[in-house]
Amino acid sequence: MNTLTLDKLKIGSNGIIKKINNLGSIRRRLFDIGLIEGTKVKSVLTSPGKDPIAYFIRGCLIAIRNEDAKKIEVEECE
Amino acid sequence: MNKKIALAGNPNVGKSTVFNALTGLKQHTGNWAGKTVENAMGKLTYQNQDYQIYDLPGTYSLISHSLEEEIAKNFICFEQPDVIVVVCDAVCLERNLNLVLQILEISKKVIICVNLLDEAKKKNIYVDLKKLSQILNVEVVGTSARSKQGLDELVKKIAFFKNKSTYEIKYPPLIEESISKLIPFIECENLNPRWVALKIIENDEKTINLIEKYLNKNLITPNIESKVNDIKNNLLENDILTNEINDIVVTNIVNEANKIANKVVTFKDQNYNSKDHKIDKILTSKWLGIPIMLMLLMVIFWLTIKGANKPSEILFNFLFYISDKLEIFLNFIHLPYIFIDVIINGVYKVLAWVVSVMLPPMAIFFPLFTILEDLGYLPRIAFNLDKYFHKCLSCGKQALTMCMGFGCNAVGVTGARIIDSKRERLLAIITNSLVPCNGRFPTLIAIISMFLVVGSSSLLSSLILTLVILFSILMTLLVTKILSHTILKGQPSSFTLELPPYRRPQIIKVIIRSIFERSIFVLGRAVMIAMPAGLIIWLLANIGTPSILSICTNFLDPFAHIFGMDGVILMAFILGFPANEIVIPLMIMGYMSLGSITDITDLTVLKNLFLANNWTIITALCVMTFSLIHWPCSTTCLTIKKETKSLKWTMVSILIPTIIGFICCFLINMIGHIFM
């Protein structure tokens, strides 16, 4: 299986979170919205400037900046 | 005895709608996360029992220490509410259960209100309320608060509440073991010892400090400290570091919420949000996203300008017809001429100007803007613009507060609480008055249609107004960037932004409410502020020879001319400090009392009045620019003081736009004179 960082996940494809390397408040914010290791995410929307990207996470659409998404490892899946 | 009821829940799940329905209050609701930023309290009486209902700020969880979360957590932990109603969104119940589980750790007096059932049904999502109730051993009520369904049952469940939940979330054995080791040593009165023990093991200093403050004693006694050390060593032996405990706990809660959701929620249509996604694909697309945003803005302006024309004319004719009759009447009762002059030319006419010229555009723009907000478009604007704010070392949520500023700058300043980082919050507050509020739009519209548009093309006027707004957005970005490199240095903080599902706005309700509430508000302000201001202008114009007004305006004149304006204009801006919508009426009064024209029978004559006072296109541009960029109105200043709790930052928020406004006007004036 293909492991990459969340920001590189293609629009429309799904992934499983493998590791969250963010620290501090953003780490807790990600936990808040239910983003933990093992969570299934789908990359859904890019903003006009290609940053941030919005992901479908546990039934909600959440925008995360690429510099934060870069620290999240994800495994592409069906 | 009043009973205390708390309404908790994720942001944007309709807590405020439930609150309004229960209390009959009219807390403003909007389709974006973070609308309620402080506890609102309302009352409910049911079967002779009084209830105080508290609407807590929306939070995703109780672990991330943001401002709104602290407010909610403090209330739940330390105010000892009799019942906590956790309002959940049926459409994404799983994430909402996260918060339910966290609250259940703190208090067992919980009722779950699964709201937005109607919306879920439309998306073919079904929630088994009975099963949820069984699993958590909690009372569950299903509601659709917007259509008031299920609220009676909710009130009943609140009134007859007695069934405290017995549900406890189970952690991995090592953590459970550690908790039970610690519990016997914890004395914490009304708090759940299991929760307090967990916080101690997690080493959550912030929460521990709050608990200690509440209990007014030291929680970590030497006895407990040695126990904690034992526990930590034991965990270390099993390869669990203290800073990992929090991760384990959170993961456990999220997984538990997932398990419960899988048992109670059925999705009959896996692609339930495909329609939203299709709309989003267009509204945030690379090429169309920003043009569509500007187009929408332009349409709103066009509707405002076009729609305001007729009512403006009718109100104008009516109010000035009354003015004549009033004058005849006052003469008839033999009031001395000087009083008639004060009443008619001082007080009444300013009021009539505000009502006829300023009120109609405000009463139209505001509901249109509210509909856009209810629809859920504002977070998309933040999403579209985040990159640009990021480049200016700020965050996209500033775009959201900026949009709120279009309605009212004071609201925009308060709304800045949704921004976590203090530095970015200050940026949003200081730059908020750079976008024109509802009270300044009519000024801009009036000047555009008088000086920049030949004939009366509403379309061209709205196009120009859109460009003006584009300019103010660019100024916001520029000033943000400059501030980020000077007095508010720092790196942009990380952020997550929720894009809520689109909701159909309750159009009729919004229009009726906005028109009535907004109009009454503006009328009230007109009476409170425009009338005294009119009185002051009249007194200034009529006391002494030469009059105080001409002394003042003559004094301001040379200074104002450097910036392409004149003494009367600057005076009007100064006297307009309490409310921006009186600036133009004050200019008119100023010019009229200086004796240029005595009677205005028609809105078009206004232009001649300005022309007679040497207005040129440069003057018009400078007045527009200064109206756009100058000190915030008094209400906004007070709000800034309240929000920043700092005189320094309030002064900065006043000085920065003022200085920039003068600089811009100076440049326009200079460049204008080179070409003309």
Side-chain angles (χ1 to χ4, degrees), chain A residues 27 32 56 58 61 63 65, chain B residues 61 94 247 273 386 394 497:
Chain A
R27 186 180 179 85
D32 267 5
F56 199 61
R58 296 190 192 270
L61 196 55
R65 277 183 180 162
Chain B
S61 82
E94 179 182 343
D247 283 18
N273 44 22
D386 177 64
S394 176
L497 174 77

Side-chain angles (χ1 to χ4, degrees), chain B residues 573-626:
Chain B
F573 274 115
I574 293 168
L575 288 174
F577 177 60
N580 278 300
E581 56 266 34
I582 66 172
V583 169
I584 284 205
L586 288 181
M587 279 182 211
I588 299 168
M589 296 308 295
Y591 287 136
M592 284 177 41
S593 62
L594 290 176
S596 315
I597 281 183
T598 46
D599 198 21
I600 292 182
T601 51
D602 188 323
L603 281 173
T604 51
V605 184
L606 195 55
K607 186 180 177 181
N608 295 332
L609 173 70
F610 286 153
L611 287 175
N613 283 284
N614 304 319
W615 275 51
T616 62
I617 185 116
I618 298 171
T619 323
L621 286 174
C622 288
V623 173
M624 275 170 63
T625 309
F626 201 67

Side-chain angles (χ1 to χ4, degrees), chain B residues 489-505:
Chain B
K489 263 190 199 144
Q491 284 308 306
S493 67
S494 314
F495 91 133
T496 54
L497 174 77
E498 185 178 355
L499 304 176
Y502 290 102
R503 284 183 191 147
R504 188 183 304 161

Side-chain angles (χ1 to χ4, degrees), chain A:
Chain A
M1 269 291 164
N2 198 1
T3 306
L4 37 105
T5 56
L6 185 59
D7 58 307
K8 296 282 183 311
L9 192 65
K10 266 208 242 52
I11 297 296
S13 50
N14 293 301
I16 303 268
I17 302 294
K18 284 285 133 193
K19 200 160 188 327
I20 298 171
N21 296 312
N22 310 64
L23 295 173
S25 68
I26 179 71
R27 186 180 179 85
R28 286 196 297 262
R29 273 287 180 214
L30 295 171
F31 288 164
D32 267 5
I33 53 173
L35 194 81
I36 56 169
E37 280 160 30
T39 305
K40 193 176 169 191
V41 296
K42 182 179 183 184
S43 181
V44 177
L45 277 181
T46 40
S47 67
K50 289 210 185 300
D51 182 16
I53 292 171
Y55 306 90
F56 199 61
I57 302 166
R58 296 190 192 270
C60 304
L61 196 55
I62 310 277
I64 302 174
R65 277 183 180 162
N66 292 349
E67 63 175 29
D68 299 318
K70 260 194 194 106
K71 296 180 189 152
I72 303 170
E73 292 167 31
V74 59
E75 192 178 270
E76 232 181 325
C77 69
E78 240 333 282

Side-chain angles (χ1 to χ4, degrees), chain B residues 259-507:
Chain B
K259 257 189 248 160
I260 298 172
N262 285 342
K263 283 182 199 156
V264 299
V265 186
T266 337
F267 296 90
K268 292 214 169 133
D269 173 13
Q270 286 299 330
N271 297 316
Y272 63 91
N273 44 22
S274 62
K275 201 168 130 200
D276 269 16
H277 284 184
K278 268 182 206 147
I279 300 173
D280 270 334
K281 277 251 166 359
I282 301 166
L283 291 183
T284 63
S285 80
K286 190 177 173 191
W287 300 110
L288 292 174
I290 290 172
I292 287 176
M293 200 175 81
L294 293 173
M295 277 299 288
L296 268 173
L297 209 59
M298 205 174 123
V299 170
I300 288 190
F301 291 149
W302 182 77
L303 288 169
T304 305
I305 294 170
K306 191 95 183 155
N309 273 340
K310 203 75 202 163
S312 236
E313 206 181 304
I314 295 168
L315 279 171
F316 184 89
N317 289 334
F318 173 71
L319 290 171
F320 281 79
Y321 168 79
I322 295 279
S323 146
D324 292 341
K325 297 288 169 229
L326 187 62
E327 200 168 343
I328 293 168
F329 171 74
L330 294 176
N331 272 317
F332 176 74
I333 59 166
H334 298 295
L335 205 64
Y337 175 72
I338 181 131
F339 288 116
I340 298 179
D341 200 26
V342 172
I343 293 171
I344 300 292
N345 290 326
V347 177
Y348 184 85
K349 277 193 179 160
V350 172
L351 189 64
W353 276 106
V354 172
V355 173
S356 62
V357 180
M358 303 291 140
L359 184 59
M362 291 169 82
I364 295 174
F365 177 79
F366 204 78
L368 289 176
F369 180 78
T370 310
I371 288 171
L372 215 55
E373 188 191 342
D374 287 356
L375 204 62
Y377 184 60
L378 263 43
R380 270 77 187 178
I381 296 183
F383 181 61
N384 281 345
L385 295 181
D386 177 64
K387 190 181 180 185
Y388 307 99
F389 280 95
H390 192 182
K391 276 193 177 156
C392 301
L393 308 181
S394 176
C395 79
K397 284 185 187 168
Q398 191 180 338
L400 234 159
T401 62
M402 182 182 79
C403 289
M404 293 314 299
F406 288 128
C408 168
N409 290 130
V411 173
V413 168
T414 315
R417 291 189 194 176
I418 56 167
I419 299 169
D420 289 337
S421 131
K422 191 179 173 224
R423 188 187 71 87
E424 287 165 20
R425 197 156 59 230
L426 277 171
L427 287 172
I429 289 174
I430 295 170
T431 55
N432 197 274
S433 69
L434 294 175
V435 293
C437 64
N438 200 18
R440 284 186 275 167
F441 277 118
T443 309
L444 295 169
I445 293 170
I447 296 172
I448 288 172
S449 42
M450 274 189 289
F451 287 91
L452 301 179
V453 177
V454 188
S456 59
S457 162
S458 308
L459 197 66
L460 191 56
S461 297
S462 36
L463 179 68
I464 295 174
L465 190 54
T466 309
L467 291 175
V468 170
I469 299 309
L470 197 60
F471 171 72
S472 73
I473 294 174
L474 291 175
M475 283 308 287
T476 302
L477 286 167
L478 182 68
V479 173
T480 303
K481 184 158 193 171
I482 294 171
L483 288 174
S484 295
H485 283 99
T486 52
I487 54 172
L488 280 167
K489 263 190 199 144
Q491 284 308 306
S493 67
S494 314
F495 91 133
T496 54
L497 174 77
E498 185 178 355
L499 304 176
Y502 290 102
R503 284 183 191 147
R504 188 183 304 161
Q506 297 164 295
I507 294 175

